[in-house]
Structure formats: C-alpha cells, structure tokens
Amino acid sequence: MTLLEVLQSTTAYFAKREIESPRLNAEHLLAHSLGRKRIELYLEFERALDEAELAPLRELVRRRGQGEPLQHLLGTVEFCGRTFVCDKRALIPRPETEELVEHLLKSEIGKQKPEILDVGTGSGVIALSLAAAVPEAKVHAIDLSEDALALARQNAEMLGLGSRVSFARSNLLRDVKGSFDLIVANLPYVPAADGPTLPREVLHDPALAMFGG
Ligand SMILES: C[S@@+](CC[C@H](N)C(=O)[O-])C[C@H]1O[C@@H](n2cnc3c(N)ncnc32)[C@H](O)[C@@H]1O
C-alpha cells in the first residue's frame, strides 16, 4: 500500500468509528509512527510502506479507534506554541485554557515582576507558559496529585524552566504560604453525576482532574 492509500483507509476507518477530524488524526499518527513532520507526508504519498512501517501504525490506529486520545498516543501536546509531554498522569490541556493564558498575557501581568500561583497545575501548561512568556515572573505551581506534579516537573525540565517554577503538593491553598500578584486556577468542575454521559475519550483524563464532586 502507498502512504496515500494508508492515509485514506485510516481516515475512512476513523470516520466509521466517529473519531472527530478523522483525516487530521490519521495524518498525525502516520507522521508520528514514521518519524516525519505531518507536512513531509505530502512528499511521500506515492511511496509504498513496508510491513515494518505498517505494524506499529496499525497498533496506534487500533487504539485510537477504541477512543484512546490522540495526545496520549503521540505522547505530546502543543500548548501556546510549546510542546509538552502529555500522558494519563494529568488532564489533556484544552484549547480554552490557551485562551486563558493568552488573555492573562495581554493584561498588566506581563509588565510587572509578578509572583504567580497556579492552583491545580496538572501538566504545568499554565504555570510554564506564563513563566516562559514573562521572564521576570516567579511562578509557583501546586496540585493535589503527585502524578500530575511529576509530569509538570518533567515538562519544566524539558522546557528549560526547572529553576523558574517551583512545584509543591497542596490541597487547594492549605499548604501555601506567601502572597501573590496573580492566582490562576483551572480546577475540576464537571459534576460527578455527569460521568456516564461524557465522551469516551474524556474518561482517559484522571478523575481527580475532571470531577468537582
Ligand atoms: C481541570 S485539571 C487542570 C490542569 C491544568 N491546570 C490545565 O489547565 O490543563 C484540574 C487539576 O486540579 C487538580 N486538583 C483537583 N483537586 C485539587 C485540590 N483539592 N487541590 C489541588 N489540586 C487539585 C487535579 O489533580 C488536576 O491536575
């Protein structure tokens, strides 16, 4: 099968499995599995893929078809122009949260030397995006989940922000000392009773990150 044929059959399979944006998902997984950029696929459409290339792709396609989130299969997510490690230890960052960060960066916060606290940091996307964009900022990030904190620390190291952002475990503000110019929080807000009605992909996010009781 050529790369284009694989792309087309994967897209059709995802559409049948009611995966949103089937072609985009197929391109991401194919590029990831071949170690290419998505745009580079277009230069190889006529190339025949061999079994060694198809086997790992098949497994990714199977898992995606069963509702495993694309970001977990890729192992990364783009957020505010940066790449973050993404796995089941924390919530997959949502586009609306990028809007929150962009809104904050347009405010006065970028013009001061702010002390910032991110409550419920998850993968660290808010804290780390703010720290990267505001070099004078001192950023602290807390979460109740040790798993999320481990992922956030990993992201901080990967982005070279390990010395700029501190991470600690705290139940809301219980173990937090000091005062802050900005407290930002994207805490769980889905009622637990809504669990059974949520799309299957959302159930891959940690319950602690999703349900507000
Ligand atoms: C909706 S997720 C948001 C994660 C991240 N800030 C983002 O926007 O992608 C909520 C986060 O709050 C954390 N959390 C839940 N209850 C908490 C609590 N009582 N104290 C601190 N963090 C909590 C969860 O572990 C999770 O990482």
Side-chain angles (χ1 to χ4, degrees):
M1 274 176 112
T2 65
L3 193 151
L4 181 59
E5 286 167 340
V6 172
L7 194 53
Q8 286 168 338
S9 62
T10 304
T11 302
Y13 173 71
F14 284 164
K16 214 167 81 188
R17 301 286 301 173
E18 295 180 357
I19 302 289
E20 212 176 297
S21 309
R23 167 79 180 215
L24 190 63
N25 273 258
E27 286 188 8
H28 273 296
L29 288 181
L30 193 49
H32 175 72
S33 129
L34 295 175
R36 304 277 197 282
K37 292 195 174 108
R38 204 153 58 82
I39 191 82
E40 291 170 346
L41 298 179
Y42 287 76
L43 305 173
E44 293 190 66
F45 270 173
E46 299 311 319
R47 184 169 76 79
L49 298 185
D50 60 30
E51 184 53 29
E53 292 173 308
L54 286 171
L57 175 66
R58 249 185 237 120
E59 175 60 11
L60 290 173
V61 170
R62 185 189 64 75
R63 289 166 62 187
R64 185 71 192 99
Q66 287 179 347
E68 220 171 300
L70 178 67
Q71 297 87 341
H72 285 182
L73 296 173
L74 300 177
T76 55
V77 65
E78 297 299 311
F79 187 93
C80 287
R82 292 180 182 80
T83 303
F84 291 79
V85 176
C86 179
D87 60 34
K88 59 182 164 60
R89 287 176 288 176
L91 186 94
I92 297 171
R94 307 296 203 259
E96 298 79 8
T97 311
E98 287 183 287
E99 287 172 27
L100 168 68
V101 170
E102 282 156 15
H103 175 75
L104 290 172
L105 290 175
K106 278 191 207 135
S107 72
E108 289 298 300
I109 205 73
K111 300 179 188 112
Q112 306 160 7
K113 290 187 178 175
E115 190 116 356
I116 299 174
L117 176 68
D118 177 21
V119 182
T121 196
S123 58
V125 284
I126 297 177
L128 294 167
S129 299
L130 292 175
V134 188
E136 301 82 18
K138 266 177 99 175
V139 184
H140 309 273
I142 57 168
D143 205 291
L144 188 57
S145 157
E146 289 289 4
D147 274 352
L149 287 168
L151 178 60
R153 287 190 184 102
Q154 186 179 341
N155 277 320
E157 290 308 319
M158 201 177 80
L159 294 168
L161 294 166
S163 60
R164 298 265 329 280
V165 183
S166 69
F167 296 94
R169 184 169 187 270
S170 177
N171 187 347
L172 297 176
L173 301 180
R174 227 163 272 177
D175 298 314
V176 176
K177 293 191 177 63
S179 61
F180 301 92
D181 301 295
L182 171 71
I183 298 180
V184 56
N186 178 22
L187 285 164
Y189 52 83
V190 180
D194 288 358
T197 66
L198 294 176
R200 56 186 174 166
E201 290 187 19
V202 174
L203 302 176
H204 289 265
D205 285 311
L208 184 63
M210 286 296 301
F211 299 112

